[in-house]
Amino acid sequence: MIKTVKSLYTYRELIAALAWKNIIIRYKQSYLGIFWAVLKPIMLMLIFTLVRSFVGIESDDLPYPILTFAALLPWVFFQESASEGVGSVTSNAVLIKKIYFPREVFPITAMVTKLVELTISFVLLAAMMVYYKMMPSIYALWIPAIIFYTMIVALTISFFGAAINVYYRDMAQALPVFLSLLMYGSPVMYPLSLVHKKLLVEQAAGVWSNDLYRLYTLNPLAGIIDSFQRVLLKGLPPDFNALYPGLMLVLVLLPISYVFFKRAESWFADVI
Amino acid sequence: MKPIIEVNHLTKEYQLGHITSLRDNLLNTFKRLGRKPVQQRESFKALDDVDFKIEQGEVVGIIGHSGAGKSTLLKHLAHISNPTKGKVIVRGSIAPLIEVGAGVNPEMTGRENIFLNGAILGIPKKIIQQKLDEIIEFSELEQFIDTPVKRYSSGMTVKLGFSIATSLDADILIIDEVLAVGDMAFQRKCFDKMEDMINRQGKTVLLVSHNIRQVERLCNRVILMDHGKIFAEGDPTEVCNLFFNQSNEKIKANVSTSTHKNVTQTDDMLYKKTIIYNNDNNDVDSVECLSPMRVIVHFDVLKPLKNICFLIGVHTPDFLYLTATNSIDEVKDYLPGEHQVEMAISSMTLLPGVYSIRVWIGTPEGKVSFYAENLKNFTVVSEDHLLTRQQEMGLFYLDAKWRFDAIDNAIALESA
């Protein structure tokens, strides 16, 4: 594991250069440039806000638009990192056939690219916080750790998915479908406190309630989004009870996914 | 010291046909579990037990026909593909110049591409920055360096790619057909740059090229590959000669099956055949260099023709017209019937190689009755080693005489 991180450090310039290339070619001949990157969370925020005006979703005494936008930030980052990551190896087939460097550079590059776009969204979130007169507390220092954790989750999916995608292109098709379903299973549209209240306080699912809540928090995004909102908007420390089931799952899956990727890697150039 | 590159019994198999579907894979797994025979796909050995070593500072050329396994071999050395069997050990950093420009992105400008490709090739950004001016100057693209590469001509793109690649600083350089690029002047420049890297900087170089002359000149050892195996290995001149003989046979085999090109046929006459006779009056496909030969063309005249002259020419398999002789001074009138025309050559001064005959029949004013190229292929051969070697020097033999004289002041020097 240490060796892996070390080799990634060696390739940091390559990752930076490739990410920079991705950004440049995506936004080069467009007038609005990189601000297209924030269009997706903004549109989703507007839609959710509109939907909420019909169905009524609790928002923990916070303005709903900023609550859902703060949820969309890590979510969109995760979703796009994962789907770009899965396609990253196949879309760089030319390079894979011509030159060797550790192939994990590609999923990581996809993620770093999205990190730049995330930064732009952060500017927007900051503007919204100013508008709603919200001050970040000291707990906002948790943000880098939360983002890092999100990156790990996205990579776990990317490594496995990218390797599969080299052999069966079905992966790149199936993943977006799966991820858009997962969004409803994550506290993006609604806060985690709502799930918490329904299942743990009201025991809405009877005897299954506690297990269901654990299952829900097994989705790492549940903990991530909740913590993100807590440290930034609510001025609270992260809720570790919501974080640790997902964290456990990721810590188990990441090595498996990485080893799988490295095993498959040796045949990429032949199969792709 | 251990060799810098060691290739031990390297075998690479590719499975032919498509990747198996998920369904087939699952079915095969079940069959394997049930110990039933599994449907195997045909496999193809791209490399078959290849075994060699390269010492530090050696310049090794790899030659062979397309599909002989040269590029596959390089891919293994560059760690891009992994062997099915055997082992590849590389002790040192390796810079693959495999198809220069693979990483060039059309949307980015020349300057941006220099940094991107530098990073892809593993050159630290600092070094690129230092060498930036040098790279731009070498590429001759100063004026266009801030223009997106998609607006470049293909030649310009390649120039850019090569300029970046040559700024690399690795122990082993792998060069695959890079010099077949750009205009003549730029090729010259690349060639000089490579010679500089090879001779002055003492790098270990692996060169794959179809330009045999280049390989022979640059390398101190040549490996000839054929069908995934090492066919010959050793002294550049010997191995290259072997390759020439191989190619001549192959070219002839190919050419003779290919159809005539550029045929003009009229209802004046019907072309029958072309025959070549050697000195001993045998109908042959190959003639001895510097010996006499005769070319005879048979044809049926279909209607009375006046003022007919003939042109018989020779061209290379790639349709470079070498020479032609016409009978414009001896025009003939023909009545319907079968005829033949003979052109005798007192000495075949074409150097060893594969050639082809073209025939034009018509009037001196230019009215064509028949014309075709690639009508008959023949090989010029020679027992004389010097003549065979001249093949890459040129196409014709000149009967030259040498004289060596001292000039007056040289005599003065000598006597003093």
Side-chain angles (χ1 to χ4, degrees):
Chain A
M1 208 65 193
I2 292 165
K3 218 175 103 196
T4 312
V5 174
K6 218 172 175 179
S7 95
L8 286 182
Y9 183 73
T10 323
Y11 286 96
R12 68 195 184 282
E13 278 189 3
L14 175 61
I15 295 172
L18 287 173
W20 169 69
K21 174 204 89 176
N22 284 349
I23 303 265
I24 282 193
I25 59 174
R26 185 162 308 167
Y27 302 112
K28 198 154 203 178
Q29 267 187 17
S30 72
Y31 182 68
L32 289 178
I34 196 153
F35 286 96
W36 280 110
V38 292
L39 192 73
K40 189 171 177 179
I42 292 177
M43 291 309 285
L44 284 172
M45 177 189 75
L46 293 177
I47 292 167
F48 291 169
T49 311
L50 186 73
V51 169
R52 180 183 176 258
S53 63
F54 300 122
V55 292
I57 300 168
E58 281 177 46
S59 67
D60 296 346
D61 304 324
L62 284 169
Y64 182 78
I66 196 167
L67 184 80
T68 189
F69 192 72
L72 280 163
L73 237 57
W75 169 258
V76 170
F77 171 61
F78 158 76
Q79 187 199 31
E80 301 221 318
S81 302
S83 33
E84 290 269 320
V86 165
S88 64
V89 173
T90 35
S91 61
N92 283 296
V94 184
L95 282 183
I96 292 208
K97 282 183 172 175
K98 301 289 177 217
I99 195 159
Y100 178 79
F101 42 79
R103 304 311 188 198
E104 57 264 37
V105 161
F106 293 115
I108 291 174
T109 300
M111 199 181 60
V112 172
T113 311
K114 293 298 160 192
L115 204 58
V116 176
E117 298 182 1
L118 177 73
T119 316
I120 309 286
S121 302
F122 256 111
V123 175
L124 205 73
L125 182 69
M128 283 174 81
M129 285 174 73
V130 171
Y131 177 80
Y132 286 113
K133 297 193 178 63
M134 293 165 105
M135 272 296 284
S137 67
I138 184 79
Y139 295 113
L141 293 177
W142 275 98
I143 293 287
I146 297 171
I147 298 295
F148 181 73
Y149 175 38
T150 316
M151 287 159 73
I152 300 285
V153 178
L155 276 185
T156 308
I157 294 186
S158 297
F159 282 146
F160 184 75
I164 295 267
N165 197 44
V166 171
Y167 294 84
Y168 300 107
R169 297 289 197 276
D170 310 51
M171 194 65 204
Q173 305 286 340
L175 192 82
V177 181
F178 166 75
L179 286 180
S180 52
L181 287 179
L182 187 69
M183 186 176 82
Y184 297 101
S186 308
V188 178
M189 236 177 142
Y190 49 86
L192 181 68
S193 55
L194 190 70
V195 185
H196 188 270
K197 194 178 88 182
K198 283 272 180 229
L199 288 178
L200 293 190
V201 181
E202 296 174 9
Q203 294 280 325
V207 284
W208 299 98
S209 294
N210 289 345
D211 292 332
L212 262 178
Y213 185 71
R214 200 160 299 130
L215 186 70
Y216 187 86
T217 50
L218 208 53
N219 169 10
L221 267 301
I224 287 172
I225 292 168
D226 178 57
S227 306
F228 196 83
Q229 290 168 330
R230 283 171 76 100
V231 299
L232 207 62
L233 304 178
K234 298 177 186 165
L236 296 169
D239 174 9
F240 291 100
N241 283 331
L243 272 171
Y244 86 87
L247 189 63
M248 290 297 147
L249 184 71
V250 169
L251 287 183
V252 171
L253 289 183
L254 180 68
I256 298 175
S257 167
Y258 183 71
V259 169
F260 180 78
F261 183 83
K262 290 308 270 184
R263 280 272 181 90
E265 181 192 84
S266 32
W267 309 109
F268 281 178
D270 299 337
V271 176
I272 205 160
Chain B
M1 212 170 102
K2 281 185 176 172
I4 194 160
I5 295 175
E6 255 184 80
V7 175
N8 296 329
H9 303 284
L10 171 65
T11 298
K12 177 70 176 183
E13 279 179 18
Y14 286 107
Q15 297 208 304
L16 295 179
H18 277 285
I19 301 246
T20 42
S21 70
L22 198 56
R23 189 174 137 259
D24 289 344
N25 257 357
L26 287 175
L27 273 174
N28 278 348
T29 315
F30 281 124
K31 276 184 188 164
R32 247 182 241 122
L33 286 175
R35 294 178 195 276
K36 277 180 203 159
V38 181
Q39 191 188 339
Q40 289 284 350
R41 278 188 303 151
E42 228 181 314
S43 67
F44 167 77
K45 275 189 182 168
L47 292 175
D48 192 356
D49 200 26
V50 173
D51 199 279
F52 64 89
K53 286 182 180 65
I54 293 174
E55 302 290 337
Q56 172 98 46
E58 264 194 300
V59 180
V60 178
I62 300 174
I63 57 176
H65 300 290
S66 321
K70 299 174 306 238
S71 295
T72 316
L73 178 62
L74 289 197
K75 276 188 177 176
H76 282 80
L77 295 177
H79 200 38
I80 296 167
S81 286
N82 284 332
T84 313
K85 257 183 258 160
K87 213 171 183 186
V88 178
I89 304 165
V90 178
R91 299 184 178 92
S93 63
I94 204 159
L97 307 193
I98 296 175
E99 275 173 63
V100 166
V104 172
N105 190 294
E107 295 291 330
M108 300 170 84
T109 68
R111 191 188 302 275
E112 288 166 343
N113 265 302
I114 292 177
F115 283 101
L116 175 67
N117 277 271
I120 289 172
L121 291 170
I123 314 172
K125 202 172 175 184
K126 247 195 269 168
I127 301 214
I128 293 269
Q129 234 139 16
Q130 278 169 16
K131 290 190 173 173
L132 187 63
D133 290 334
E134 192 190 314
I135 294 172
I136 295 174
E137 200 200 307
F138 188 86
S139 70
E140 304 168 351
L141 294 168
E142 288 93 343
Q143 212 185 328
F144 312 103
I145 204 70
D146 290 310
T147 306
V149 170
K150 61 181 169 186
R151 309 207 207 291
Y152 281 22
S153 73
S154 53
M156 285 158 80
T157 316
V158 171
K159 279 182 178 184
L160 183 71
F162 191 86
S163 309
I164 302 165
T166 47
S167 62
L168 260 172
D169 196 29
D171 305 333
I172 306 161
L173 279 175
I174 293 187
I175 301 167
D176 188 0
E177 295 288 359
V178 278
L179 292 190
V181 299
D183 48 84
M184 290 298 278
F186 192 74
Q187 275 189 30
R188 185 69 245 159
K189 212 165 130 183
C190 296
F191 192 77
D192 288 345
K193 177 109 183 176
M194 282 197 10
E195 272 205 316
D196 175 70
M197 286 199 280
I198 290 166
N199 296 333
R200 255 150 288 175
Q201 301 176 21
K203 288 184 197 287
T204 309
V205 179
L206 271 155
L207 179 69
V208 167
S209 179
H210 283 123
N211 187 338
I212 305 301
R213 206 167 94 76
Q214 208 179 67
V215 169
E216 200 186 342
R217 177 167 160 190
L218 287 172
C219 302
N220 40 39
R221 185 149 64 104
V222 172
I223 295 172
L224 171 57
M225 299 204 49
D226 192 32
H227 291 100
K229 289 182 182 151
I230 295 185
F231 188 77
E233 183 186 350
D235 175 63
T237 317
E238 272 172 36
V239 178
C240 289
N241 268 340
L242 200 64
F243 179 68
F244 275 126
N245 294 340
Q246 246 189 20
S247 344
N248 278 348
E249 276 161 34
K250 197 160 179 169
I251 293 172
K252 223 180 92 194
N254 280 342
V255 169
S256 49
T257 54
S258 70
T259 49
H260 306 161
K261 283 223 172 128
N262 228 344
V263 186
T264 310
Q265 238 156 352
T266 61
D267 48 12
D268 292 352
M269 59 175 58
L270 195 66
Y271 165 83
K272 302 282 266 205
K273 62 183 172 183
T274 302
I275 308 165
I276 293 176
Y277 287 108
N278 67 3
N279 206 17
D280 308 325
N281 278 326
N282 293 325
D283 174 358
V284 288
D285 281 334
S286 65
V287 290
E288 192 72 23
C289 186
L290 302 181
S291 71
M293 72 178 254
R294 291 181 296 135
V295 180
I296 293 166
V297 179
H298 286 253
F299 55 94
D300 275 352
V301 176
L302 302 175
K303 57 187 183 193
L305 297 170
K306 280 196 164 172
N307 281 344
I308 290 298
C309 67
F310 298 87
L311 178 143
I312 297 178
V314 177
H315 62 83
T316 60
D318 48 348
F319 296 98
L320 172 70
Y321 298 160
L322 296 171
T323 169
T325 312
N326 67 38
S327 63
I328 201 157
D329 297 334
E330 298 174 64
V331 291
K332 293 271 177 230
D333 296 341
Y334 280 101
L335 289 173
E338 204 180 327
H339 297 271
Q340 73 169 51
V341 58
E342 178 189 306
M343 179 180 77
I345 298 164
S346 56
S347 171
M348 180 29 112
T349 50
L350 287 168
L351 289 173
V354 181
Y355 302 97
S356 205
I357 299 270
R358 65 190 179 109
V359 174
W360 184 93
I361 306 173
T363 66
E365 291 79 38
K367 185 183 167 288
V368 190
S369 295
F370 172 78
Y371 178 65
E373 292 168 353
N374 220 2
L375 282 172
K376 168 90 181 171
N377 303 294
F378 66 99
T379 334
V380 176
V381 292
S382 178
E383 296 292 310
D384 188 344
H385 181 66
L386 274 174
L387 286 175
T388 316
R389 285 313 303 154
Q390 287 204 358
Q391 187 180 38
E392 332 129 52
M393 314 277 176
L395 297 157
F396 286 95
Y397 172 82
L398 286 184
D399 192 12
K401 295 269 182 296
W402 296 82
R403 254 177 71 132
F404 304 95
D405 293 325
I407 305 173
D408 285 351
N409 60 353
I411 296 170
L413 263 173
E414 223 166 86
S415 56

